[in-house]
Amino acid sequence: MRKPWIAGVVGAVLAALLLGACGDPESAPDEAPPRASAPEASPTTRQRAATASPGADTVKPAPEVLYLGDSLAMENQKVLGDFLKDDLDARYTSAPYSGTTLCDYLEGTSDRSLVPTKDKAAALVRRLRPDYVVLQFWGNAWDYTPCMDGITYDKARTEYFQRYTAATEQLTEQIANAGGTHRPKIVWVLQGPDPFTPDRIRRVNALYRKQAKASGDLLADAGKAVSPASDRYTWTQYLPCTAYEREHDGHCTQPGRDRTALHHDEDLLHFCLALTTSKPKPCPVLSPGITRFARAITRAIADASP
């Protein structure tokens, strides 16, 4: 049963999502961030080199990672980049646009899309030649994303999932074709609990699992990191602190109760503990939900890296 206080804020949250960080295409970046130059070796890499046996490969190749997605990706992008660079010495580019869903990144949708032609997934893959393309999409369920043609979960569920299934297949194909002989691995990010339509996100995640299996791609279950251990699809504002959060200042937001906040009191969807604004941007404050999300994605890429 929905908590009594939730009903009172749903309207405000929906307005924030549609008018704020989840829906202001004019405030999206004019162009994707430039490709990052190779970072200096991290302490981890230097330690590997120091302890490697003579004649052996000293370090793993640094992966090239491209991060695409919606408002969750917009707020996560800096933290994820920091983890990828620190843990994997990755070269990293992010090009998220708030309010988007999968079809926005398909080539051929520029006339009704929140993503410009130059930042479509295939265009970026051709330009950057990444090893991994991380796709973070909650699955915009409201009548806002133009390329969904007004098909929404609440009004046309069958059509919504048909359109979403087709988009996962088409985007996979476009990314693969753009990569050619250097076909990047796609990392589908599994989503956390949906506070508004709980069963929807379960079905969206099932689509991601099916597509990853069919195309030999990867999953990053970031949503599990922001779900109760007892129920993967039950929304909660707080969770018990992890060992990582206890060891890092500010991550366990209520240490006396050994729990940490995942969501702001007035935003049930996003993980940034500062409210979204009309101009989408990376989250400006330390937010445990974002850290959990980013660490899960980083682990998935680390486990898959040669």
Side-chain angles (χ1 to χ4, degrees):
M1 179 179 295
R2 177 174 291 174
K3 295 180 180 179
W5 60 269
I6 291 180
V9 299
V10 167
V13 171
L14 289 177
L17 295 174
L18 295 175
L19 300 176
C22 272
D24 183 5
E26 293 184 358
S27 66
D30 292 333
E31 58 184 73
R35 182 175 182 175
S37 59
E40 294 183 5
S42 70
T44 300
T45 299
R46 290 195 293 270
Q47 178 66 23
R48 288 177 188 159
T51 58
S53 59
D57 292 336
T58 56
V59 295
K60 292 181 178 180
E64 180 86 34
V65 180
L66 173 63
Y67 188 41
L68 307 178
D70 51 20
S71 58
L72 295 185
M74 176 66 73
E75 67 180 13
N76 293 346
Q77 60 182 315
K78 184 179 185 303
V79 175
L80 176 60
D82 289 343
F83 274 119
L84 288 170
K85 292 172 185 176
D86 289 347
D87 293 0
L88 302 177
D89 293 319
R91 295 183 294 273
Y92 172 76
T93 302
S94 59
Y97 284 83
S98 292
T100 56
T101 193
L102 291 167
C103 59
D104 283 291
Y105 280 89
L106 289 171
E107 291 190 318
T109 61
S110 297
D111 59 335
R112 51 194 178 90
S113 171
L114 302 179
V115 177
T117 299
K118 60 185 171 50
D119 289 342
K120 300 295 187 181
L124 291 171
V125 168
R126 285 191 290 268
R127 185 159 79 242
L128 299 174
R129 313 300 293 172
D131 301 299
Y132 299 93
V133 178
V134 181
L135 299 178
Q136 157 50 52
F137 292 96
W138 183 79
N140 193 325
W142 301 301
D143 187 9
Y144 183 74
T145 305
C147 64
M148 287 293 285
D149 296 323
I151 297 172
T152 62
Y153 176 80
D154 61 334
K155 296 178 181 178
R157 295 187 184 185
T158 298
E159 291 80 5
Y160 171 86
F161 285 113
Q162 288 174 342
R163 180 65 69 92
Y164 214 70
T165 299
T168 64
E169 296 170 352
Q170 294 165 9
L171 194 57
T172 296
E173 181 178 9
Q174 289 190 3
I175 290 172
N177 290 340
T181 57
H182 186 67
R183 195 271 201 198
K185 282 285 187 182
I186 298 172
V187 183
W188 294 96
V189 179
L190 300 182
Q191 302 300 294
D194 181 341
F196 308 113
T197 52
D199 189 58
R200 185 193 66 83
I201 214 69
R202 188 192 304 269
R203 296 182 63 181
V204 167
N205 282 348
L207 290 179
Y208 293 163
R209 291 183 185 277
K210 181 179 179 180
Q211 184 58 49
K213 182 177 180 180
S215 55
D217 286 308
L218 306 173
L219 296 169
D221 198 353
K224 184 178 180 180
V226 292
S227 304
S230 59
D231 190 341
R232 170 66 174 76
Y233 288 100
T234 294
W235 183 91
T236 184
Q237 185 177 7
Y238 299 93
L239 280 178
C241 297
T242 64
Y244 178 92
E245 288 161 352
R246 295 184 194 101
E247 294 168 1
H248 291 77
D249 290 344
H251 286 266
C252 187
T253 59
Q254 296 183 341
R257 303 178 68 179
D258 194 38
R259 70 177 193 173
T260 198
L262 303 179
H263 304 279
H264 190 284
D265 289 345
E266 298 179 30
D267 188 340
L268 311 187
L269 173 59
H270 296 92
F271 296 100
C272 184
L273 295 183
L275 285 175
T276 57
T277 65
S278 61
K279 184 175 182 180
K281 61 183 179 180
C283 183
V285 299
L286 192 157
S287 300
I290 288 177
T291 300
R292 290 183 179 215
F293 232 74
R295 292 187 72 216
I297 296 171
T298 302
R299 283 196 300 270
I301 294 174
D303 290 344
S305 297

